[in-house]
Amino acid sequence: MKRNVLICGAALLASALFPVVAMGQCSYRASTDGGTFGSPMTYETPGGTCPDAPLTNSAAQVILDRNLTVYMPGNYVVGNGGNIAVSDFGHLVVTGHLTVESGGSITIGQNGTVEVMPGGSLDISSQGNVVLQQGGVLMGNYDLRIGDGTNAQKVTNLEIHDDSRVVAGRATVNKATIYVAPSASFTTGCNLVLYNSNIVDDGLVTIQGNLDLSPGGSNNVLCGNGTVSVAGCVFGGNGAVNHIAQNCAGKIAVCAQRAATSCGTGPVAGTNANEQACDELVPSCPKPLPVELVSFTAEPTTRQGVALEWVTASEKNSQSFVVERSADGRSFRANRTVAGAGTTAARTAYHVVDEQPLPGTSYYRLRQIDFNAAASYSPVRVVKLGPSTGPGLEVYPGKNAQEWVVASRLLAELLDAHGATVQVYDALGRAQAIGCTPAAETGRWTLDLHALPSGVYVVRLLTGSGSYSRRIVQ
């Protein structure tokens, strides 16, 4: 018999579902382990007005702690005055795209971890700030982009304090500043690319690819009392390599692992601009993606479908694109496949429609596959369709007095997202204790409400894509 994924039980406190409002800035705190960013958070600040979830409020204060894990599957912006604070064994798992804009910040404190999964990214604007302190960890094989090329060195965009570490895949620093404390570390799985940027390294910087100075030429600064270890070599042209430490009061030790001596720029001359020669020294690092993706959008259509469009500037050995869909932003399933353009330098546009989309919130991404079977992923796009009422929930009287049947026709992938929960509220929004028994068939359950007095009640089904409600008269 197929496993019934609905969890029957007492409802959550009414205050968690019917928001307490706040006079000042909204403050949220994670309350459910394994939940989705936004939905499992309670309100810490009394009074005033708060939105239903911090996903709609980039200036919100969000706290993740108490050994809880929360997933961020979509795109989230930490705006001016906003902050995400992770500490006390809190764990934020980013499968989408996290952006820190001007005036926004992320603080990773004692025993806190932010993990960015493959396909996800972290962007820090030239006025945004990410601070790691007291053993905080930012990790994952992801794209780390620091600075947007607009305001060089106005703030320290990435601060890695004592006993903290940052691990990224490929990192690009564009008119921004990084500070690495004496007992801290900053590691990239592949190339570190600098555009007119400033790195103060008093700890350990490990580059498991190449140090690419070519975009910023001789305007990059890499100073401090620490060490820079490079698996490949340092390259840039225009004297970039020779100038990297000459802007400092004292030269920092840049040690290329492939160098003939213990420290140096590697087997390529200091004026080298030959990126291919350096790439050959680190074959484990992925080469540039075979597809240059210009845009990817997912938008509702007038007929309750979802239109997916993407444009490539060029493609190399591109076999196909697989449109993948998810109810929770974590578990993706193939929705349809579109042939790629092979090898072309021409701009190519693609358009498909998901005519049977998931109700509520869903997530889409592209998996690009080349002729060698290698795959890469696009950013994730979030789509929300219609109100969260309708065919997702039916409630009708059962065979016995004060017995009700709950039935859902939702797709299995929606119920599988986080499981689903039935809750019952009275007319004042107060949670009620109920008896709930799963039926033999998936998507059907029996409620025993004989302990409740006569009156009007609301039955609510919570799923990974949203909530569905029906009013009953007992």
Side-chain angles (χ1 to χ4, degrees), residues 92-275:
L92 175 61
V93 181
V94 180
T95 58
H97 298 271
L98 177 57
T99 303
V100 185
E101 291 190 343
S102 178
S105 63
I106 298 175
T107 304
I108 308 174
Q110 186 173 13
N111 298 316
T113 300
V114 174
E115 182 177 6
V116 187
M117 304 300 289
S121 68
L122 172 59
D123 291 359
I124 309 172
S125 79
S126 290
Q127 293 295 305
N129 181 231
V130 174
V131 180
L132 292 91
Q133 54 194 8
Q134 298 177 328
V137 177
L138 171 60
M139 62 181 292
N141 184 18
Y142 61 100
D143 286 336
L144 174 60
R145 292 182 285 265
I146 308 173
D148 51 27
T150 57
N151 295 299
Q153 302 162 21
K154 298 294 185 181
V155 298
T156 302
N157 308 96
L158 177 61
E159 303 176 35
I160 313 171
H161 292 281
D162 290 343
D163 302 319
S164 298
R165 60 189 173 95
V166 172
V167 180
R170 181 179 183 272
T172 302
V173 188
N174 190 356
K175 289 189 176 181
T177 297
I178 299 174
Y179 170 67
V180 184
S183 61
S185 65
F186 176 56
T187 302
T188 65
C190 282
N191 290 8
L192 172 62
V193 185
L194 302 185
Y195 292 71
N196 303 320
S197 294
N198 179 26
I199 298 181
V200 180
D201 173 28
D202 288 332
L204 175 61
V205 173
T206 302
I207 303 166
Q208 296 175 345
N210 301 306
L211 177 56
D212 182 356
L213 307 174
S214 53
S218 60
N219 293 320
N220 290 302
V221 177
L222 181 53
C223 301
N225 299 310
T227 299
V228 179
S229 175
V230 185
C233 60
V234 184
F235 68 91
N238 298 322
V241 176
N242 293 330
H243 285 85
I244 186 63
Q246 292 182 5
N247 296 316
C248 307
K251 284 189 176 183
I252 195 170
V254 178
C255 304
Q257 300 300 306
R258 304 301 181 98
T261 58
S262 59
C263 286
T265 58
V268 185
T271 56
N272 169 61
N274 187 345
E275 183 175 356

Side-chain angles (χ1 to χ4, degrees), residues 2-142:
K2 187 174 181 181
R3 180 175 64 91
N4 196 319
V5 298
L6 184 71
I7 301 171
C8 301
L12 299 175
L13 292 176
S15 61
L17 278 167
F18 302 96
V20 176
V21 292
M23 290 298 292
Q25 192 171 43
C26 294
S27 179
Y28 304 85
R29 192 172 202 145
S31 59
T32 302
D33 187 56
T36 301
F37 192 82
S39 59
M41 296 182 185
T42 56
Y43 302 87
E44 297 289 316
T45 305
T49 49
C50 279
D52 290 338
L55 290 173
T56 63
N57 183 5
S58 65
Q61 305 293 308
V62 183
I63 301 170
L64 307 178
D65 58 4
R66 299 177 290 194
N67 203 26
L68 296 180
T69 297
V70 173
Y71 291 85
M72 181 186 287
N75 303 325
Y76 184 75
V77 175
V78 185
N80 186 22
N83 175 257
I84 298 176
V86 186
S87 63
D88 192 21
F89 297 99
H91 187 189
L92 175 61
V93 181
V94 180
T95 58
H97 298 271
L98 177 57
T99 303
V100 185
E101 291 190 343
S102 178
S105 63
I106 298 175
T107 304
I108 308 174
Q110 186 173 13
N111 298 316
T113 300
V114 174
E115 182 177 6
V116 187
M117 304 300 289
S121 68
L122 172 59
D123 291 359
I124 309 172
S125 79
S126 290
Q127 293 295 305
N129 181 231
V130 174
V131 180
L132 292 91
Q133 54 194 8
Q134 298 177 328
V137 177
L138 171 60
M139 62 181 292
N141 184 18
Y142 61 100

